[in-house]
Amino acid sequence: MNSKHGRIQSYEERFSGWLDVGEAFSFWKGRVALYAILKALGVGEGDEVILPGYTCVMDVNPIKYLGAKPVYVDIEPATFNINTDLLPEKITDRTRVIVAQHTYGYPCDMDAIIDIAARRNVAVIEDCCLALGGEYKGKVLGTFGRAAYFSMQWNKPYTTGLGGMAITNDSDIAQKIRTLCQDSMSSPTGREVIMLTAQLAVYRMFIYPRTTALAQSIFRYLTKKGAVVGSSATSEFTPTMADDFFKGLSTVQSRSGLRQLKKLRRNIEHRRKTAQLYDELLAEKGWTPRQYDRAVMNPVMVRYPVRIGEKTEALQRAAGAGIELGSWFESPLHPAETPLQVYDYDMGLCPQAEAASSQVVNLPLHPRVSEATVRRTVEFICRFTQSG
Ligand SMILES: Cc1ncc(COP(=O)(O)O)c(C=O)c1O
């Protein structure tokens, strides 16, 4: 039986208050939040869970841990979100859940998803890991489905090093998550907390757009050596749940989260303005900027995706030029080294997602990105050819 530290509880309350939802539950990572929601919905052996074939494999793991089957739907090319025209044919008698992932921050077509789900008696979970604060028809993302989850890992809308949050307005789901946490959630170890504290300090002091590429390669190396708390351990590339997977947040993360929430409005404003500047500068260069339905969508992007013809070369050159360039998603189930078949994905299943993963690079939008950085990044990227 677990009792929650006061600071963690106040972080959860501030988070749910910020989104104006019933309850929030914090976890060690976003994927743990998804696991808790799926479990609360009773997803188990033989059930099917629908999600876009353009996601992070860490999102698929909780489905597999529960013995359910991931069913992938291809994306529509402009927003990289689930193509709702393809959705009905993927629903079977075994479908329990549709995961509506708001990719890069673009809201999914929630009207269509909620409508299809209601007609087929399927629950909707929103994956808001890349989309904190965005709106669809004036309503904030995360409040459309039965529950939603968020990530506060290094690259996310705001970071607590690692971290996840589940939210719900459904008192039955809330009660089930609460019981699950009380009965079986473990706490981070002392070593994990010390390492994460040090990493957060390094991040605050040294990680700026020019240093990001170098920092990421050092970080990946240290993760493999077990010298830092990485986002994903090697064991997480197999669909078998580790003994310590179901873990809560540390007070260090909750303290950081409380600080970040105070700055969230400014963070969101910055992301909107910076994305708009990319739109304008790319258009000046003759590139096609973001294409989405402005009458219904008000996105807050985590990164700004562009499709280019020379993805591998651009990523290599960016690292040398001190340009922060993201590679998400490198594969229909990011990252590139994911053993796709183990996760029930056969190449050819989602052609649009496969094309996107070979073309998309993403430009930074986080609070440390200045106007000068945006201009330098656009100059850099426009040396390549836009594709798609
Ligand atoms: C779309 C999406 N959902 C969920 C997750 C999982 O989040 P976390 O790393 O906090 O477990 C990721 C991972 O980065 C992601 O990209």
Side-chain angles (χ1 to χ4, degrees):
M1 178 99 173
N2 247 315
S3 77
K4 221 168 246 180
H5 190 284
R7 194 174 289 120
I8 295 178
Q9 201 157 340
S10 57
Y11 175 41
E12 291 173 346
E13 284 165 9
R14 294 273 173 84
F15 194 86
S16 59
W18 197 90
L19 285 155
D20 198 18
V21 289
E23 290 204 54
F25 299 89
S26 61
F27 296 93
W28 179 239
K29 296 179 185 177
R31 65 201 75 170
V32 187
L34 172 61
Y35 176 84
I37 297 170
L38 290 172
K39 208 137 161 94
L41 285 168
V43 172
E45 203 67 41
D47 290 336
E48 293 178 0
V49 175
I50 292 182
L51 72 171
Y54 188 66
T55 190
C56 170
V57 69
M58 299 307 154
D59 234 14
V60 188
N61 269 334
I63 300 168
K64 298 285 282 181
Y65 294 166
L66 290 166
K69 182 173 178 239
V71 174
Y72 304 102
V73 178
D74 206 358
I75 54 168
E76 54 98 3
T79 63
F80 307 92
N81 283 331
I82 231 165
N83 182 335
T84 52
D85 291 340
L86 305 175
L87 196 47
E89 72 204 38
K90 295 280 183 162
I91 299 179
T92 71
D93 291 345
R94 299 187 154 194
T95 309
R96 299 288 311 278
V97 172
I98 298 169
V99 177
Q101 172 189 294
H102 305 295
T103 313
Y104 302 125
Y106 288 119
C108 292
D109 181 349
M110 290 315 296
D111 278 353
I113 293 174
I114 295 289
D115 180 54
I116 295 165
R119 277 192 279 120
R120 305 292 295 268
N121 198 22
V122 171
V124 174
I125 300 175
E126 290 176 77
D127 177 346
C128 297
C129 292
L130 312 179
L132 175 57
E135 290 165 358
Y136 176 83
K137 294 195 170 172
K139 190 170 150 152
V140 71
L141 301 180
T143 58
F144 289 85
R146 297 276 303 278
Y149 64 106
F150 298 79
S151 168
M152 289 81 186
Q153 178 258 8
W154 301 103
N155 292 311
K156 297 304 190 300
Y158 74 78
T159 186
T160 57
L162 302 174
M165 197 71 87
I167 60 166
T168 185
N169 270 322
D170 183 317
S171 53
D172 179 47
I173 294 182
Q175 186 51 44
K176 288 196 168 118
I177 296 179
R178 192 173 304 108
T179 306
L180 187 66
C181 293
Q182 282 171 350
D183 290 350
S184 52
M185 193 162 77
S186 63
S187 299
T189 62
R191 182 169 182 270
E192 284 169 330
V193 175
I194 290 167
M195 289 204 289
L196 200 60
T197 310
Q199 286 166 224
L200 275 165
V202 169
Y203 178 85
R204 278 197 290 271
M205 284 187 281
F206 300 115
I207 310 299
Y208 286 88
R210 278 181 189 274
T211 56
T212 298
L214 177 64
Q216 274 174 346
S217 49
I218 296 173
F219 191 70
R220 279 192 202 115
Y221 173 78
L222 292 175
T223 303
K224 279 196 187 129
K225 298 272 165 203
V228 293
V229 202
S231 308
S232 302
T234 316
S235 63
E236 289 186 90
F237 290 94
T238 57
T240 311
M241 190 167 126
D243 289 343
D244 66 345
F245 174 77
F246 194 58
K247 208 155 42 185
L249 208 67
S250 63
T251 52
V252 172
Q253 289 157 293
S254 61
R255 198 181 309 127
S256 166
L258 282 165
R259 271 199 306 267
Q260 306 292 327
L261 280 178
K262 287 193 187 136
K263 299 188 271 186
L264 189 52
R265 287 267 160 237
R266 244 184 305 150
N267 177 339
I268 286 175
E269 190 56 26
H270 173 83
R271 287 177 186 279
R272 285 208 167 110
K273 275 199 189 140
T274 310
Q276 176 86 31
L277 183 58
Y278 278 122
D279 284 342
E280 289 161 16
L281 295 177
L282 287 169
E284 276 172 22
K285 297 271 186 192
W287 281 43
T288 307
R290 289 178 298 164
Q291 303 287 302
Y292 62 93
D293 185 351
R294 283 167 167 76
V296 293
M297 297 179 189
N298 189 6
V300 178
M301 313 289 295
V302 67
R303 289 189 187 171
Y304 189 110
V306 287
R307 292 174 187 257
I308 59 170
E310 310 90 352
K311 175 165 176 167
T312 311
E313 189 193 337
L315 288 166
Q316 274 164 2
R317 284 219 253 144
I323 298 287
E324 184 179 343
L325 200 62
S327 64
W328 308 342
F329 292 127
E330 295 164 356
S331 147
L333 307 181
H334 183 89
E337 56 265 39
T338 301
L340 293 175
Q341 280 187 345
V342 172
Y343 287 95
D344 308 298
Y345 188 97
D346 290 316
M347 278 314 264
L349 197 59
C350 299
Q352 289 293 346
E354 289 166 25
S357 50
S358 68
Q359 295 169 342
V360 172
V361 292
N362 7 88
L363 319 181
L365 290 169
H366 56 78
R368 291 180 179 187
V369 176
S370 64
E371 184 176 331
T373 304
V374 173
R375 291 186 182 278
R376 253 167 38 84
T377 306
V378 170
E379 282 303 321
F380 174 85
I381 205 69
C382 288
R383 287 182 214 137
F384 300 91
T385 42
Q386 190 173 30
S387 65

